[in-house]
Amino acid sequence: MRIGICEWTTFPASFDDELAAYRAAGVGGIGILEFKLEGVDDVRAKLRDSGLLATACLPAAGSILPSPLIPGPDEPEARVDSICDSIRRLAELEPACVFFLTGVGDDEETVREGIRRIGEAGARHGVPVALEPIHPSQAEVLSCVHTIENALDLIGDAGVGILFDTWHLQDVSHADRILGVHVADRREPTRSDFDRLFPGNGSRAAVRALEAAGYDGWYDVEVMSDNGTFGHYLEDSLWDLPVEEIARRAVESMEAL
């Protein structure tokens, strides 16, 4: 199993500290949030020197339609332009994939056109691109696409795959279209949009189903645990822990899984 960590898991830490902590924890990859790279010099060189590979990476404006949780232009066309530009920039890091969301709303025609253009940008720059389905509880803040089947219907014949997230999805299908996997457990009840647990019993069935179906790509731990950054202070926030401890516990959770 190829284990990586998405930068959401260690959100308060700097890119340099994340690279060091992830490497010390023994993971092989880092899922990059492009907006966290602002002001960081020599990203490609630092990544190369760390020995880590770029896994599933999120563009700065990572949704076609606007979302209250994803900054970017108000106009969908401008957002798609931004995502395509991000694919070009991220291409030099040779990511396993670049993923995006539909955003909020039911403008299906705009979403389909955006997916088509993003797929073309991925092909142009040699970067696999993937659409992420989202749990129905976040329809009003991230996306109305909640299943793999729904996502594939919107994708049609565009050159776009699927980003599978165990916090959002449990049913595994079309494993040949899955380009990356995020792993985290749900807390019940979930206290905010940034409240997840390290992978455990809640992710085990989906991960085993993915393995059985032949998926052999990256599994990135993606744990969001708001320490007040996004307006919901959680007293047990994982983001308040040292980055080295978060990375170590992320790896231990996947090894136990």
Side-chain angles (χ1 to χ4, degrees):
M1 178 179 286
R2 291 191 282 175
I3 299 174
I5 300 176
C6 175
E7 284 190 287
W8 279 119
T9 304
T10 53
F11 186 75
S14 69
F15 184 66
D16 288 349
D17 287 347
E18 287 170 331
L19 292 178
Y22 293 8
R23 182 174 182 177
V27 300
I30 176 172
I32 291 172
L33 309 178
E34 190 188 21
F35 65 86
K36 283 196 68 177
L37 297 180
E38 185 174 354
V40 179
D41 296 326
D42 302 322
V43 172
R44 183 180 182 182
K46 289 179 176 179
L47 186 63
R48 182 189 63 242
D49 293 346
S50 74
L52 300 178
L53 299 176
T55 58
C57 299
L58 179 68
S63 67
I64 294 170
L65 303 176
S67 158
L69 298 184
I70 305 176
D74 292 332
E75 294 299 321
E77 184 174 353
R79 295 181 76 91
V80 172
D81 287 341
S82 177
I83 293 171
C84 293
D85 286 343
S86 292
I87 291 169
R88 173 182 54 79
R89 290 191 296 268
L90 291 167
E92 72 170 10
L93 305 181
E94 300 180 354
C97 70
V98 170
F99 72 98
F100 64 98
L101 291 75
T102 63
V104 179
D106 56 2
D107 188 349
E108 187 172 305
E109 182 178 349
T110 297
V111 168
R112 288 182 184 275
E113 174 61 14
I115 291 172
R116 182 190 65 77
R117 289 183 54 203
I118 291 168
E120 290 176 349
R124 187 162 57 248
H125 299 293
V127 177
V129 292
L131 174 64
E132 181 177 16
I134 299 298
H135 192 272
S137 64
Q138 293 189 319
E140 299 301 317
V141 292
L142 286 177
S143 173
C144 61
V145 176
H146 307 314
T147 67
I148 292 176
E149 288 73 18
N150 186 193
L152 291 175
D153 176 64
L154 288 172
I155 290 169
D157 59 2
V160 175
I162 298 293
L163 191 287
F164 189 102
D165 188 316
T166 66
W167 193 90
H168 294 291
L169 302 172
Q170 285 297 303
D171 295 334
V172 174
S173 64
H174 303 281
D176 59 317
R177 299 294 298 274
I178 296 173
L179 302 181
V181 175
H182 285 163
V183 193
D185 273 18
R186 294 185 62 83
R187 184 193 301 274
E188 298 296 349
T190 299
R191 299 168 294 180
S192 79
D193 291 314
F194 296 88
D195 181 24
R196 302 186 181 189
L197 299 171
F198 283 119
N201 289 334
S203 299
R204 182 168 285 110
V207 169
R208 288 182 174 177
L210 286 161
E211 294 282 290
Y215 174 76
D216 62 355
W218 288 97
Y219 291 87
D220 287 353
V221 178
E222 187 193 47
V223 176
M224 302 171 181
S225 188
D226 197 358
N227 61 355
T229 302
F230 293 95
H232 294 86
Y233 177 71
L234 307 176
E235 292 185 357
D236 53 355
S237 170
L238 296 171
W239 286 352
D240 283 338
L241 299 175
V243 61
E244 297 83 4
E245 181 176 348
I246 300 174
R248 176 183 58 78
R249 289 178 61 180
V251 172
E252 289 175 351
S253 71
M254 288 301 294
E255 290 176 341
L257 192 67

